[in-house]
Structure formats: C-alpha cells, structure tokens
C-alpha cells in the first residue's frame, strides 16, 4: 500500500464558547483556510481545545451578558460600548450577535461536547459542533450551560440523544478537557483565541483572514522545504 508523503501541519486552537473574539476569529481563520489551494501539497490538522474565560461560573446558572460585562468592566456604559463593538465587528464577518439576549454560563459541559466531536467515531466535525454552540450563545440567546440545550444541539448535528445524555451524565471527557485547560495555562496562554502551529508558533487574537492565509502559506512552504531536504 502506498503511503502518503504529504506533510501535515497541526493547528491547535484554544478558545471559549462565550468569547466573542473566538467566534470572530473562527470565522476569519476558516476564511483564510478556504483561500488555500487544496493542491498546495500539505494537510492542515485543526483541533479545538478548551479554555474557560470564567472557570468559577456556577454550573447550571445563567447570567445576562450585559450584567456580567458591567461587573467585569466597571459600569454599564463601558459594557455597552464593548458589546456594541463586538456586535458590529461580528456583523462585518457575517455573524449575527444578539448580545442583549446572550447568557453567560459555565462552559465546561460545552467543551466536553466539543471534545466528544473530536473523537474518531463522531458523526460531526469539531468545527461544526463549535459553530453550533457559539451560534446558540451569541445568536440564539440560549443557555450553553444547560444540559437540555447542549443535548438538543448535539442531536441536531447527528448524535443520538441517549448517547449524548449518557455521555454528559458520566465523567467521560472531564479529565481530557481539564488537561487541555491546564495545557493552555502551562504554555502561557492567558487570552483567547490563540492559534498554535505545529506546537511551536503561537498566533494570538482574531487576526484578519488574509493574515491567517499568509501564516498558513508560510507554514506550508516551511513544511514542504523540510520534506524536500535530505
């Protein structure tokens, strides 16, 4: 059997479901990736990893995002400015934010679903699960810490209801998700989104699509050069 000699570039994305710049960054990254020719000669292995902006948020409790931002940023006026800014920016990238409806929540269960989507027998890709959960939070105003909401999202994407309910009721994925969070901390990742290329080069923030494209092309060129070297 012939073995593929195409080099593979790993892209580890650390982000949170309730982070507006993570959603904006996801859209820009995917746009940049879509601008890369498939015949470039490399494969991109993209994996989403957990990061919690507020790991102390009480499980099962939802708080209006304006209230959370008011507390975090020192007042309603500043909170409204930030929420309006991210809403406008998201719209420029084709994403609809309804921040007046968004509910902040503990995202550990959501990250476990994203981890589950990354397993070999998953009926859906990780990126699709991530997108659906972000849509639930930013666009639909749903409680992404709620078992009911998470199960409904997973079932919509092709999971069996009983399987998802059993999974979320178990301890599966808990240690793995916590390991991802710990990995981010041990590697100095203190803000998201952060994109780590080949576990060596980190690019922080929601860069524009063209910047992502340039980075991907440079990584591809380096990988191809390394492959051609004796």
């Amino acid at each position: 059997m012939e073995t593929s000699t195409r080099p593979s570039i790993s892209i580890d994305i650390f982000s949170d479901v309730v982070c507006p710049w993570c959603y904006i960054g996801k859209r820009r990254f995917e746009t940049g990736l879509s601008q890369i020719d498939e015949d470039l000669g490399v494969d991109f292995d993209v994996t989403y990893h957990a990061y919690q902006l507020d790991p102390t948020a009480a499980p099962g409790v939802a708080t209006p995002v304006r209230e959370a931002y008011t507390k975090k940023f020192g007042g309603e006026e500043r909170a409204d400015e930030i929420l309006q800014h991210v809403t406008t920016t998201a719209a420029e990238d084709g994403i609809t934010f309804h921040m007046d409806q968004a509910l902040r929540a503990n995202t550990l269960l959501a990250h476990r679903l994203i981890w589950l989507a990354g397993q070999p027998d998953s009926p859906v890709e990780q990126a699709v699960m991530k997108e659906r959960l972000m849509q639930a939070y930013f666009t639909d105003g749903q409680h992404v810490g709620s078992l009911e909401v998470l199960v409904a999202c997973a079932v919509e994407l092709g999971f069996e209801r009983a399987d998802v309910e059993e999974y979320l009721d178990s301890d599966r994925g808990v240690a793995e998700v916590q390991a991802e969070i710990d990995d981010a901390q041990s590697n100095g990742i203190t803000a998201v989104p952060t994109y780590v290329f080949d576990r060596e080069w980190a690019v922080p923030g929601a860069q524009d699509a063209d910047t992502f494209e340039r980075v991907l092309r440079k990584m591809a060129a380096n990988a191809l050069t390394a492959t051609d070297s004796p």
Side-chain angles (χ1 to χ4, degrees):
M1 180 182 294
E2 184 178 350
T3 302
S4 173
T5 58
R6 289 169 61 96
S8 178
I9 298 169
S10 67
I11 305 169
D12 296 291
I13 304 175
F14 292 84
S15 64
D16 200 359
V17 174
V18 296
C19 163
W21 292 107
C22 293
Y23 199 178
I24 294 167
K26 180 179 185 295
R27 185 60 53 85
R28 293 175 177 178
F29 171 78
E30 290 173 344
T31 299
L33 184 59
S34 72
Q35 294 168 179
I36 302 292
D37 298 331
E38 291 185 3
D39 60 356
L40 189 61
V42 300
D43 296 320
F44 295 103
D45 182 15
V46 182
T47 305
Y48 284 90
H49 298 280
Y51 188 98
Q52 285 192 286
L53 291 176
D54 185 9
T56 66
V61 177
T63 303
V65 70
R66 185 172 184 266
E67 180 180 321
Y69 272 48
T70 295
K71 182 178 180 180
K72 180 177 181 179
F73 295 107
E76 294 181 352
E77 183 176 351
R78 180 57 180 153
D80 289 340
E81 289 177 357
I82 294 172
L83 293 173
Q84 183 57 53
H85 176 60
V86 295
T87 298
T88 301
T89 303
E92 294 171 355
D93 285 281
I95 311 170
T96 300
F97 278 10
H98 290 148
M99 301 306 287
D100 57 324
Q101 302 173 21
L103 300 170
R104 288 297 289 268
N106 189 296
T107 55
L108 184 60
L109 287 177
H111 284 302
R112 285 179 60 202
L113 267 190
I114 295 166
W115 177 85
L116 181 64
Q119 302 314 296
D121 58 348
S122 171
V124 62
E125 294 182 359
Q126 253 195 333
V128 176
M129 178 65 79
K130 184 83 169 183
E131 181 80 18
R132 184 63 188 90
L133 296 179
M134 285 180 153
Q135 177 191 322
Y137 174 73
F138 287 101
T139 305
D140 302 337
Q142 293 183 303
H143 179 192
V144 294
S146 161
L147 278 170
E148 181 181 353
V149 169
L150 295 174
V151 170
C153 287
V155 170
E156 176 186 317
L157 296 179
F159 281 92
E160 294 294 331
R161 178 176 297 275
D163 292 342
V164 178
E165 291 176 340
E166 180 182 2
Y167 167 73
L168 291 176
D169 192 45
S170 73
D171 291 331
R172 282 186 61 210
V174 174
E176 289 82 356
V177 167
Q178 188 58 54
E180 292 180 350
I181 295 171
D182 294 342
D183 183 47
Q185 294 175 345
S186 64
N187 283 284
I189 295 175
T190 58
V192 287
T194 293
Y195 304 78
V196 181
F197 296 85
D198 276 343
R199 296 176 178 81
E200 294 182 356
W201 185 22
V203 175
Q207 306 296 325
D208 61 74
D210 289 342
T211 296
F212 280 124
E213 181 186 359
R214 287 195 296 271
V215 171
L216 291 168
R217 288 189 181 279
K218 180 175 178 58
M219 295 299 297
N222 290 345
L224 291 169
T225 299
T227 300
D228 294 336
S229 300

